[in-house]
Amino acid sequence: MQPAIDDEPASETEARRPRWGLRIALGIVAAVLIGYWASPYLSVTRFALAANVGATEEVLARTDLRALRASFARQIVRTYLGRQPQTRSLDPLARQVVGSVATGYVDAIIAEHLTPQAIAALISARGARAQSGALLGQGVTLPRADLQGVWTLFANSGFDGLASFAVGVPAGPGAAEEERYRLRFGLAGLRWVLRAIELPRSALEKLADELKSRVDLGS
């Protein structure tokens, strides 16, 4: 009879193993999801800290410059085409051709005005002073590392894709409330990097005017 008594605890232990295994697996999944959800907020906070103290090298290290310049080019060309009455009646293919021509001039504008240093200044503590009245606008004001700043960051940011995180920020001091920038971060490996800055309308109009003047000179 003794063997039968010994078998009962063993069977109970074997029955518990699957339940503990499931709990551990669910715990790991929950930890991964929470880490994924929190990771962009932490990355953007570190980015803001670097920007607010003017740490140019760290800001650029957390920026995908190639993607950022491509986003600027798309915004400038789109604004330029929208401001040209003669292009509004063109069919999509013709508009694409005009856009391709304009893109060549946009590359020159980006090389001159959207250098890594200018981009870093735009989103650093020096941005509001260095870029005042320039083509990029008055500069981005990122939240400070205090309770109000953290809440502002949380309230004005969020996921807009599985690997895309957007942050809405006001322009520099003295700018109108509608003059807002939108920073878009993308997941690169295990960290989030800045990949696009949606410029306010006034900055895009200045850049579109600059593009128009170059296109007219080249015609």
Side-chain angles (χ1 to χ4, degrees), residues 9-34:
S11 63
E12 291 180 359
T13 301
E14 291 176 358
R16 288 174 184 164
R17 283 176 183 168
R19 290 198 295 269
W20 278 110
L22 179 60
R23 291 175 184 175
I24 293 172
L26 290 175
I28 292 173
V29 171
V32 170
L33 290 176
I34 292 173

mmCIF file with all atom_site columns, all heavy atoms in Angstrom, residues 9-34:
data_model
loop_
_atom_site.group_PDB
_atom_site.id
_atom_site.type_symbol
_atom_site.label_atom_id
_atom_site.label_alt_id
_atom_site.label_comp_id
_atom_site.label_asym_id
_atom_site.label_entity_id
_atom_site.label_seq_id
_atom_site.pdbx_PDB_ins_code
_atom_site.Cartn_x
_atom_site.Cartn_y
_atom_site.Cartn_z
_atom_site.occupancy
_atom_site.B_iso_or_equiv
_atom_site.pdbx_formal_charge
_atom_site.auth_seq_id
_atom_site.auth_comp_id
_atom_site.auth_asym_id
_atom_site.auth_atom_id
_atom_site.pdbx_PDB_model_num
ATOM 1   N N   . PRO A 1 9  ? 1.359  12.420 -4.032  1.00 0.00 ? 9  PRO A N   1
ATOM 2   C CA  . PRO A 1 9  ? 2.025  13.720 -4.104  1.00 0.00 ? 9  PRO A CA  1
ATOM 3   C C   . PRO A 1 9  ? 2.714  13.961 -5.447  1.00 0.00 ? 9  PRO A C   1
ATOM 4   O O   . PRO A 1 9  ? 2.736  15.076 -5.947  1.00 0.00 ? 9  PRO A O   1
ATOM 5   C CB  . PRO A 1 9  ? 3.038  13.665 -2.959  1.00 0.00 ? 9  PRO A CB  1
ATOM 6   C CG  . PRO A 1 9  ? 2.507  12.632 -2.037  1.00 0.00 ? 9  PRO A CG  1
ATOM 7   C CD  . PRO A 1 9  ? 1.850  11.623 -2.909  1.00 0.00 ? 9  PRO A CD  1
ATOM 8   N N   . ALA A 1 10 ? 3.304  12.937 -6.019  1.00 0.00 ? 10 ALA A N   1
ATOM 9   C CA  . ALA A 1 10 ? 3.971  13.089 -7.309  1.00 0.00 ? 10 ALA A CA  1
ATOM 10  C C   . ALA A 1 10 ? 2.998  13.513 -8.388  1.00 0.00 ? 10 ALA A C   1
ATOM 11  O O   . ALA A 1 10 ? 3.300  14.362 -9.224  1.00 0.00 ? 10 ALA A O   1
ATOM 12  C CB  . ALA A 1 10 ? 4.659  11.783 -7.694  1.00 0.00 ? 10 ALA A CB  1
ATOM 13  N N   . SER A 1 11 ? 1.807  12.925 -8.382  1.00 0.00 ? 11 SER A N   1
ATOM 14  C CA  . SER A 1 11 ? 0.812  13.285 -9.400  1.00 0.00 ? 11 SER A CA  1
ATOM 15  C C   . SER A 1 11 ? 0.325  14.712 -9.203  1.00 0.00 ? 11 SER A C   1
ATOM 16  O O   . SER A 1 11 ? 0.061  15.430 -10.166 1.00 0.00 ? 11 SER A O   1
ATOM 17  C CB  . SER A 1 11 ? -0.369 12.303 -9.355  1.00 0.00 ? 11 SER A CB  1
ATOM 18  O OG  . SER A 1 11 ? -1.023 12.385 -8.103  1.00 0.00 ? 11 SER A OG  1
ATOM 19  N N   . GLU A 1 12 ? 0.211  15.170 -7.949  1.00 0.00 ? 12 GLU A N   1
ATOM 20  C CA  . GLU A 1 12 ? -0.204 16.540 -7.697  1.00 0.00 ? 12 GLU A CA  1
ATOM 21  C C   . GLU A 1 12 ? 0.859  17.531 -8.178  1.00 0.00 ? 12 GLU A C   1
ATOM 22  O O   . GLU A 1 12 ? 0.550  18.576 -8.742  1.00 0.00 ? 12 GLU A O   1
ATOM 23  C CB  . GLU A 1 12 ? -0.469 16.742 -6.208  1.00 0.00 ? 12 GLU A CB  1
ATOM 24  C CG  . GLU A 1 12 ? -1.706 16.002 -5.698  1.00 0.00 ? 12 GLU A CG  1
ATOM 25  C CD  . GLU A 1 12 ? -1.922 16.227 -4.200  1.00 0.00 ? 12 GLU A CD  1
ATOM 26  O OE1 . GLU A 1 12 ? -1.089 16.940 -3.602  1.00 0.00 ? 12 GLU A OE1 1
ATOM 27  O OE2 . GLU A 1 12 ? -2.902 15.706 -3.667  1.00 0.00 ? 12 GLU A OE2 1
ATOM 28  N N   . THR A 1 13 ? 2.132  17.166 -7.939  1.00 0.00 ? 13 THR A N   1
ATOM 29  C CA  . THR A 1 13 ? 3.227  18.027 -8.387  1.00 0.00 ? 13 THR A CA  1
ATOM 30  C C   . THR A 1 13 ? 3.238  18.157 -9.901  1.00 0.00 ? 13 THR A C   1
ATOM 31  O O   . THR A 1 13 ? 3.415  19.248 -10.458 1.00 0.00 ? 13 THR A O   1
ATOM 32  C CB  . THR A 1 13 ? 4.571  17.466 -7.908  1.00 0.00 ? 13 THR A CB  1
ATOM 33  O OG1 . THR A 1 13 ? 4.561  17.380 -6.489  1.00 0.00 ? 13 THR A OG1 1
ATOM 34  C CG2 . THR A 1 13 ? 5.719  18.370 -8.351  1.00 0.00 ? 13 THR A CG2 1
ATOM 35  N N   . GLU A 1 14 ? 3.035  17.050 -10.594 1.00 0.00 ? 14 GLU A N   1
ATOM 36  C CA  . GLU A 1 14 ? 3.011  17.077 -12.061 1.00 0.00 ? 14 GLU A CA  1
ATOM 37  C C   . GLU A 1 14 ? 1.846  17.903 -12.579 1.00 0.00 ? 14 GLU A C   1
ATOM 38  O O   . GLU A 1 14 ? 1.939  18.550 -13.621 1.00 0.00 ? 14 GLU A O   1
ATOM 39  C CB  . GLU A 1 14 ? 2.929  15.644 -12.594 1.00 0.00 ? 14 GLU A CB  1
ATOM 40  C CG  . GLU A 1 14 ? 4.205  14.836 -12.349 1.00 0.00 ? 14 GLU A CG  1
ATOM 41  C CD  . GLU A 1 14 ? 4.057  13.387 -12.797 1.00 0.00 ? 14 GLU A CD  1
ATOM 42  O OE1 . GLU A 1 14 ? 2.944  13.047 -13.249 1.00 0.00 ? 14 GLU A OE1 1
ATOM 43  O OE2 . GLU A 1 14 ? 5.023  12.633 -12.691 1.00 0.00 ? 14 GLU A OE2 1
ATOM 44  N N   . ALA A 1 15 ? 0.714  17.885 -11.859 1.00 0.00 ? 15 ALA A N   1
ATOM 45  C CA  . ALA A 1 15 ? -0.443 18.663 -12.287 1.00 0.00 ? 15 ALA A CA  1
ATOM 46  C C   . ALA A 1 15 ? -0.207 20.160 -12.111 1.00 0.00 ? 15 ALA A C   1
ATOM 47  O O   . ALA A 1 15 ? -0.745 20.981 -12.850 1.00 0.00 ? 15 ALA A O   1
ATOM 48  C CB  . ALA A 1 15 ? -1.682 18.231 -11.506 1.00 0.00 ? 15 ALA A CB  1
ATOM 49  N N   . ARG A 1 16 ? 0.597  20.528 -11.093 1.00 0.00 ? 16 ARG A N   1
ATOM 50  C CA  . ARG A 1 16 ? 0.848  21.942 -10.839 1.00 0.00 ? 16 ARG A CA  1
ATOM 51  C C   . ARG A 1 16 ? 1.843  22.543 -11.819 1.00 0.00 ? 16 ARG A C   1
ATOM 52  O O   . ARG A 1 16 ? 1.824  23.739 -12.093 1.00 0.00 ? 16 ARG A O   1
ATOM 53  C CB  . ARG A 1 16 ? 1.387  22.124 -9.419  1.00 0.00 ? 16 ARG A CB  1
ATOM 54  C CG  . ARG A 1 16 ? 0.323  21.903 -8.348  1.00 0.00 ? 16 ARG A CG  1
ATOM 55  C CD  . ARG A 1 16 ? 0.949  21.949 -6.978  1.00 0.00 ? 16 ARG A CD  1
ATOM 56  N NE  . ARG A 1 16 ? -0.027 21.639 -5.942  1.00 0.00 ? 16 ARG A NE  1
ATOM 57  C CZ  . ARG A 1 16 ? 0.282  21.307 -4.695  1.00 0.00 ? 16 ARG A CZ  1
ATOM 58  N NH1 . ARG A 1 16 ? 1.562  21.210 -4.360  1.00 0.00 ? 16 ARG A NH1 1
ATOM 59  N NH2 . ARG A 1 16 ? -0.650 21.063 -3.814  1.00 0.00 ? 16 ARG A NH2 1
ATOM 60  N N   . ARG A 1 17 ? 2.747  21.708 -12.346 1.00 0.00 ? 17 ARG A N   1
ATOM 61  C CA  . ARG A 1 17 ? 3.794  22.209 -13.220 1.00 0.00 ? 17 ARG A CA  1
ATOM 62  C C   . ARG A 1 17 ? 3.256  22.978 -14.429 1.00 0.00 ? 17 ARG A C   1
ATOM 63  O O   . ARG A 1 17 ? 3.747  24.071 -14.744 1.00 0.00 ? 17 ARG A O   1
ATOM 64  C CB  . ARG A 1 17 ? 4.690  21.069 -13.669 1.00 0.00 ? 17 ARG A CB  1
ATOM 65  C CG  . ARG A 1 17 ? 5.670  20.618 -12.589 1.00 0.00 ? 17 ARG A CG  1
ATOM 66  C CD  . ARG A 1 17 ? 6.475  19.425 -13.040 1.00 0.00 ? 17 ARG A CD  1
ATOM 67  N NE  . ARG A 1 17 ? 7.363  18.952 -11.980 1.00 0.00 ? 17 ARG A NE  1
ATOM 68  C CZ  . ARG A 1 17 ? 7.997  17.799 -12.029 1.00 0.00 ? 17 ARG A CZ  1
ATOM 69  N NH1 . ARG A 1 17 ? 7.854  17.003 -13.083 1.00 0.00 ? 17 ARG A NH1 1
ATOM 70  N NH2 . ARG A 1 17 ? 8.784  17.437 -11.025 1.00 0.00 ? 17 ARG A NH2 1
ATOM 71  N N   . PRO A 1 18 ? 2.258  22.475 -15.148 1.00 0.00 ? 18 PRO A N   1
ATOM 72  C CA  . PRO A 1 18 ? 1.745  23.231 -16.290 1.00 0.00 ? 18 PRO A CA  1
ATOM 73  C C   . PRO A 1 18 ? 1.180  24.591 -15.890 1.00 0.00 ? 18 PRO A C   1
ATOM 74  O O   . PRO A 1 18 ? 1.336  25.572 -16.616 1.00 0.00 ? 18 PRO A O   1
ATOM 75  C CB  . PRO A 1 18 ? 0.659  22.318 -16.871 1.00 0.00 ? 18 PRO A CB  1
ATOM 76  C CG  . PRO A 1 18 ? 1.045  20.952 -16.425 1.00 0.00 ? 18 PRO A CG  1
ATOM 77  C CD  . PRO A 1 18 ? 1.642  21.140 -15.069 1.00 0.00 ? 18 PRO A CD  1
ATOM 78  N N   . ARG A 1 19 ? 0.504  24.659 -14.697 1.00 0.00 ? 19 ARG A N   1
ATOM 79  C CA  . ARG A 1 19 ? -0.067 25.928 -14.270 1.00 0.00 ? 19 ARG A CA  1
ATOM 80  C C   . ARG A 1 19 ? 1.025  26.948 -13.966 1.00 0.00 ? 19 ARG A C   1
ATOM 81  O O   . ARG A 1 19 ? 0.924  28.114 -14.331 1.00 0.00 ? 19 ARG A O   1
ATOM 82  C CB  . ARG A 1 19 ? -0.954 25.713 -13.035 1.00 0.00 ? 19 ARG A CB  1
ATOM 83  C CG  . ARG A 1 19 ? -2.244 24.945 -13.336 1.00 0.00 ? 19 ARG A CG  1
ATOM 84  C CD  . ARG A 1 19 ? -3.258 25.150 -12.231 1.00 0.00 ? 19 ARG A CD  1
ATOM 85  N NE  . ARG A 1 19 ? -2.804 24.580 -10.965 1.00 0.00 ? 19 ARG A NE  1
ATOM 86  C CZ  . ARG A 1 19 ? -3.064 23.340 -10.572 1.00 0.00 ? 19 ARG A CZ  1
ATOM 87  N NH1 . ARG A 1 19 ? -3.767 22.520 -11.362 1.00 0.00 ? 19 ARG A NH1 1
ATOM 88  N NH2 . ARG A 1 19 ? -2.640 22.903 -9.413  1.00 0.00 ? 19 ARG A NH2 1
ATOM 89  N N   . TRP A 1 20 ? 2.090  26.520 -13.286 1.00 0.00 ? 20 TRP A N   1
ATOM 90  C CA  . TRP A 1 20 ? 3.197  27.420 -13.000 1.00 0.00 ? 20 TRP A CA  1
ATOM 91  C C   . TRP A 1 20 ? 3.905  27.838 -14.284 1.00 0.00 ? 20 TRP A C   1
ATOM 92  O O   . TRP A 1 20 ? 4.310  28.989 -14.444 1.00 0.00 ? 20 TRP A O   1
ATOM 93  C CB  . TRP A 1 20 ? 4.179  26.756 -12.041 1.00 0.00 ? 20 TRP A CB  1
ATOM 94  C CG  . TRP A 1 20 ? 3.761  26.863 -10.613 1.00 0.00 ? 20 TRP A CG  1
ATOM 95  C CD1 . TRP A 1 20 ? 3.320  25.861 -9.796  1.00 0.00 ? 20 TRP A CD1 1
ATOM 96  C CD2 . TRP A 1 20 ? 3.720  28.050 -9.828  1.00 0.00 ? 20 TRP A CD2 1
ATOM 97  N NE1 . TRP A 1 20 ? 3.000  26.331 -8.551  1.00 0.00 ? 20 TRP A NE1 1
ATOM 98  C CE2 . TRP A 1 20 ? 3.250  27.696 -8.541  1.00 0.00 ? 20 TRP A CE2 1
ATOM 99  C CE3 . TRP A 1 20 ? 4.035  29.382 -10.076 1.00 0.00 ? 20 TRP A CE3 1
ATOM 100 C CZ2 . TRP A 1 20 ? 3.089  28.616 -7.510  1.00 0.00 ? 20 TRP A CZ2 1
ATOM 101 C CZ3 . TRP A 1 20 ? 3.876  30.307 -9.050  1.00 0.00 ? 20 TRP A CZ3 1
ATOM 102 C CH2 . TRP A 1 20 ? 3.406  29.923 -7.789  1.00 0.00 ? 20 TRP A CH2 1
ATOM 103 N N   . GLY A 1 21 ? 4.046  26.896 -15.213 1.00 0.00 ? 21 GLY A N   1
ATOM 104 C CA  . GLY A 1 21 ? 4.671  27.226 -16.484 1.00 0.00 ? 21 GLY A CA  1
ATOM 105 C C   . GLY A 1 21 ? 3.881  28.271 -17.243 1.00 0.00 ? 21 GLY A C   1
ATOM 106 O O   . GLY A 1 21 ? 4.446  29.198 -17.836 1.00 0.00 ? 21 GLY A O   1
ATOM 107 N N   . LEU A 1 22 ? 2.534  28.142 -17.212 1.00 0.00 ? 22 LEU A N   1
ATOM 108 C CA  . LEU A 1 22 ? 1.681  29.114 -17.893 1.00 0.00 ? 22 LEU A CA  1
ATOM 109 C C   . LEU A 1 22 ? 1.783  30.483 -17.242 1.00 0.00 ? 22 LEU A C   1
ATOM 110 O O   . LEU A 1 22 ? 1.847  31.500 -17.928 1.00 0.00 ? 22 LEU A O   1
ATOM 111 C CB  . LEU A 1 22 ? 0.232  28.622 -17.863 1.00 0.00 ? 22 LEU A CB  1
ATOM 112 C CG  . LEU A 1 22 ? -0.812 29.534 -18.525 1.00 0.00 ? 22 LEU A CG  1
ATOM 113 C CD1 . LEU A 1 22 ? -0.474 29.740 -19.997 1.00 0.00 ? 22 LEU A CD1 1
ATOM 114 C CD2 . LEU A 1 22 ? -2.209 28.949 -18.369 1.00 0.00 ? 22 LEU A CD2 1
ATOM 115 N N   . ARG A 1 23 ? 1.821  30.492 -15.905 1.00 0.00 ? 23 ARG A N   1
ATOM 116 C CA  . ARG A 1 23 ? 1.943  31.771 -15.207 1.00 0.00 ? 23 ARG A CA  1
ATOM 117 C C   . ARG A 1 23 ? 3.260  32.469 -15.523 1.00 0.00 ? 23 ARG A C   1
ATOM 118 O O   . ARG A 1 23 ? 3.309  33.690 -15.726 1.00 0.00 ? 23 ARG A O   1
ATOM 119 C CB  . ARG A 1 23 ? 1.824  31.549 -13.695 1.00 0.00 ? 23 ARG A CB  1
ATOM 120 C CG  . ARG A 1 23 ? 0.429  31.138 -13.244 1.00 0.00 ? 23 ARG A CG  1
ATOM 121 C CD  . ARG A 1 23 ? 0.410  30.811 -11.769 1.00 0.00 ? 23 ARG A CD  1
ATOM 122 N NE  . ARG A 1 23 ? -0.901 30.333 -11.354 1.00 0.00 ? 23 ARG A NE  1
ATOM 123 C CZ  . ARG A 1 23 ? -1.171 29.880 -10.134 1.00 0.00 ? 23 ARG A CZ  1
ATOM 124 N NH1 . ARG A 1 23 ? -0.206 29.809 -9.224  1.00 0.00 ? 23 ARG A NH1 1
ATOM 125 N NH2 . ARG A 1 23 ? -2.393 29.475 -9.839  1.00 0.00 ? 23 ARG A NH2 1
ATOM 126 N N   . ILE A 1 24 ? 4.327  31.696 -15.552 1.00 0.00 ? 24 ILE A N   1
ATOM 127 C CA  . ILE A 1 24 ? 5.628  32.276 -15.879 1.00 0.00 ? 24 ILE A CA  1
ATOM 128 C C   . ILE A 1 24 ? 5.634  32.834 -17.303 1.00 0.00 ? 24 ILE A C   1
ATOM 129 O O   . ILE A 1 24 ? 6.131  33.932 -17.560 1.00 0.00 ? 24 ILE A O   1
ATOM 130 C CB  . ILE A 1 24 ? 6.741  31.225 -15.705 1.00 0.00 ? 24 ILE A CB  1
ATOM 131 C CG1 . ILE A 1 24 ? 6.894  30.868 -14.221 1.00 0.00 ? 24 ILE A CG1 1
ATOM 132 C CG2 . ILE A 1 24 ? 8.067  31.735 -16.274 1.00 0.00 ? 24 ILE A CG2 1
ATOM 133 C CD1 . ILE A 1 24 ? 7.833  29.713 -13.974 1.00 0.00 ? 24 ILE A CD1 1
ATOM 134 N N   . ALA A 1 25 ? 5.057  32.070 -18.233 1.00 0.00 ? 25 ALA A N   1
ATOM 135 C CA  . ALA A 1 25 ? 5.008  32.520 -19.627 1.00 0.00 ? 25 ALA A CA  1
ATOM 136 C C   . ALA A 1 25 ? 4.190  33.799 -19.758 1.00 0.00 ? 25 ALA A C   1
ATOM 137 O O   . ALA A 1 25 ? 4.593  34.740 -20.456 1.00 0.00 ? 25 ALA A O   1
ATOM 138 C CB  . ALA A 1 25 ? 4.412  31.417 -20.505 1.00 0.00 ? 25 ALA A CB  1
ATOM 139 N N   . LEU A 1 26 ? 3.033  33.848 -19.083 1.00 0.00 ? 26 LEU A N   1
ATOM 140 C CA  . LEU A 1 26 ? 2.202  35.048 -19.123 1.00 0.00 ? 26 LEU A CA  1
ATOM 141 C C   . LEU A 1 26 ? 2.920  36.234 -18.487 1.00 0.00 ? 26 LEU A C   1
ATOM 142 O O   . LEU A 1 26 ? 2.811  37.371 -18.969 1.00 0.00 ? 26 LEU A O   1
ATOM 143 C CB  . LEU A 1 26 ? 0.876  34.792 -18.405 1.00 0.00 ? 26 LEU A CB  1
ATOM 144 C CG  . LEU A 1 26 ? -0.093 33.830 -19.102 1.00 0.00 ? 26 LEU A CG  1
ATOM 145 C CD1 . LEU A 1 26 ? -1.315 33.571 -18.236 1.00 0.00 ? 26 LEU A CD1 1
ATOM 146 C CD2 . LEU A 1 26 ? -0.520 34.374 -20.474 1.00 0.00 ? 26 LEU A CD2 1
ATOM 147 N N   . GLY A 1 27 ? 3.670  35.962 -17.409 1.00 0.00 ? 27 GLY A N   1
ATOM 148 C CA  . GLY A 1 27 ? 4.435  37.026 -16.771 1.00 0.00 ? 27 GLY A CA  1
ATOM 149 C C   . GLY A 1 27 ? 5.495  37.586 -17.687 1.00 0.00 ? 27 GLY A C   1
ATOM 150 O O   . GLY A 1 27 ? 5.711  38.807 -17.739 1.00 0.00 ? 27 GLY A O   1
ATOM 151 N N   . ILE A 1 28 ? 6.171  36.718 -18.426 1.00 0.00 ? 28 ILE A N   1
ATOM 152 C CA  . ILE A 1 28 ? 7.200  37.166 -19.367 1.00 0.00 ? 28 ILE A CA  1
ATOM 153 C C   . ILE A 1 28 ? 6.582  37.999 -20.475 1.00 0.00 ? 28 ILE A C   1
ATOM 154 O O   . ILE A 1 28 ? 7.105  39.063 -20.845 1.00 0.00 ? 28 ILE A O   1
ATOM 155 C CB  . ILE A 1 28 ? 7.955  35.958 -19.952 1.00 0.00 ? 28 ILE A CB  1
ATOM 156 C CG1 . ILE A 1 28 ? 8.783  35.270 -18.858 1.00 0.00 ? 28 ILE A CG1 1
ATOM 157 C CG2 . ILE A 1 28 ? 8.864  36.393 -21.106 1.00 0.00 ? 28 ILE A CG2 1
ATOM 158 C CD1 . ILE A 1 28 ? 9.422  33.973 -19.298 1.00 0.00 ? 28 ILE A CD1 1
ATOM 159 N N   . VAL A 1 29 ? 5.446  37.536 -21.005 1.00 0.00 ? 29 VAL A N   1
ATOM 160 C CA  . VAL A 1 29 ? 4.764  38.285 -22.079 1.00 0.00 ? 29 VAL A CA  1
ATOM 161 C C   . VAL A 1 29 ? 4.333  39.656 -21.570 1.00 0.00 ? 29 VAL A C   1
ATOM 162 O O   . VAL A 1 29 ? 4.502  40.678 -22.250 1.00 0.00 ? 29 VAL A O   1
ATOM 163 C CB  . VAL A 1 29 ? 3.555  37.489 -22.598 1.00 0.00 ? 29 VAL A CB  1
ATOM 164 C CG1 . VAL A 1 29 ? 2.721  38.354 -23.541 1.00 0.00 ? 29 VAL A CG1 1
ATOM 165 C CG2 . VAL A 1 29 ? 4.013  36.227 -23.314 1.00 0.00 ? 29 VAL A CG2 1
ATOM 166 N N   . ALA A 1 30 ? 3.772  39.697 -20.348 1.00 0.00 ? 30 ALA A N   1
ATOM 167 C CA  . ALA A 1 30 ? 3.333  40.976 -19.780 1.00 0.00 ? 30 ALA A CA  1
ATOM 168 C C   . ALA A 1 30 ? 4.515  41.923 -19.590 1.00 0.00 ? 30 ALA A C   1
ATOM 169 O O   . ALA A 1 30 ? 4.415  43.125 -19.876 1.00 0.00 ? 30 ALA A O   1
ATOM 170 C CB  . ALA A 1 30 ? 2.621  40.736 -18.450 1.00 0.00 ? 30 ALA A CB  1
ATOM 171 N N   . ALA A 1 31 ? 5.642  41.387 -19.108 1.00 0.00 ? 31 ALA A N   1
ATOM 172 C CA  . ALA A 1 31 ? 6.830  42.220 -18.899 1.00 0.00 ? 31 ALA A CA  1
ATOM 173 C C   . ALA A 1 31 ? 7.336  42.785 -20.221 1.00 0.00 ? 31 ALA A C   1
ATOM 174 O O   . ALA A 1 31 ? 7.734  43.961 -20.296 1.00 0.00 ? 31 ALA A O   1
ATOM 175 C CB  . ALA A 1 31 ? 7.920  41.411 -18.205 1.00 0.00 ? 31 ALA A CB  1
ATOM 176 N N   . VAL A 1 32 ? 7.329  41.955 -21.269 1.00 0.00 ? 32 VAL A N   1
ATOM 177 C CA  . VAL A 1 32 ? 7.778  42.412 -22.589 1.00 0.00 ? 32 VAL A CA  1
ATOM 178 C C   . VAL A 1 32 ? 6.858  43.511 -23.113 1.00 0.00 ? 32 VAL A C   1
ATOM 179 O O   . VAL A 1 32 ? 7.326  44.541 -23.638 1.00 0.00 ? 32 VAL A O   1
ATOM 180 C CB  . VAL A 1 32 ? 7.839  41.233 -23.575 1.00 0.00 ? 32 VAL A CB  1
ATOM 181 C CG1 . VAL A 1 32 ? 8.058  41.734 -25.001 1.00 0.00 ? 32 VAL A CG1 1
ATOM 182 C CG2 . VAL A 1 32 ? 8.946  40.256 -23.191 1.00 0.00 ? 32 VAL A CG2 1
ATOM 183 N N   . LEU A 1 33 ? 5.545  43.333 -22.969 1.00 0.00 ? 33 LEU A N   1
ATOM 184 C CA  . LEU A 1 33 ? 4.588  44.331 -23.460 1.00 0.00 ? 33 LEU A CA  1
ATOM 185 C C   . LEU A 1 33 ? 4.718  45.647 -22.703 1.00 0.00 ? 33 LEU A C   1
ATOM 186 O O   . LEU A 1 33 ? 4.678  46.725 -23.299 1.00 0.00 ? 33 LEU A O   1
ATOM 187 C CB  . LEU A 1 33 ? 3.160  43.784 -23.340 1.00 0.00 ? 33 LEU A CB  1
ATOM 188 C CG  . LEU A 1 33 ? 2.803  42.639 -24.288 1.00 0.00 ? 33 LEU A CG  1
ATOM 189 C CD1 . LEU A 1 33 ? 1.394  42.132 -24.001 1.00 0.00 ? 33 LEU A CD1 1
ATOM 190 C CD2 . LEU A 1 33 ? 2.913  43.077 -25.747 1.00 0.00 ? 33 LEU A CD2 1
ATOM 191 N N   . ILE A 1 34 ? 4.869  45.555 -21.382 1.00 0.00 ? 34 ILE A N   1
ATOM 192 C CA  . ILE A 1 34 ? 5.029  46.772 -20.582 1.00 0.00 ? 34 ILE A CA  1
ATOM 193 C C   . ILE A 1 34 ? 6.328  47.478 -20.955 1.00 0.00 ? 34 ILE A C   1
ATOM 194 O O   . ILE A 1 34 ? 6.372  48.711 -21.096 1.00 0.00 ? 34 ILE A O   1
ATOM 195 C CB  . ILE A 1 34 ? 5.002  46.431 -19.078 1.00 0.00 ? 34 ILE A CB  1
ATOM 196 C CG1 . ILE A 1 34 ? 3.594  45.962 -18.673 1.00 0.00 ? 34 ILE A CG1 1
ATOM 197 C CG2 . ILE A 1 34 ? 5.418  47.642 -18.232 1.00 0.00 ? 34 ILE A CG2 1
ATOM 198 C CD1 . ILE A 1 34 ? 3.514  45.440 -17.255 1.00 0.00 ? 34 ILE A CD1 1
#
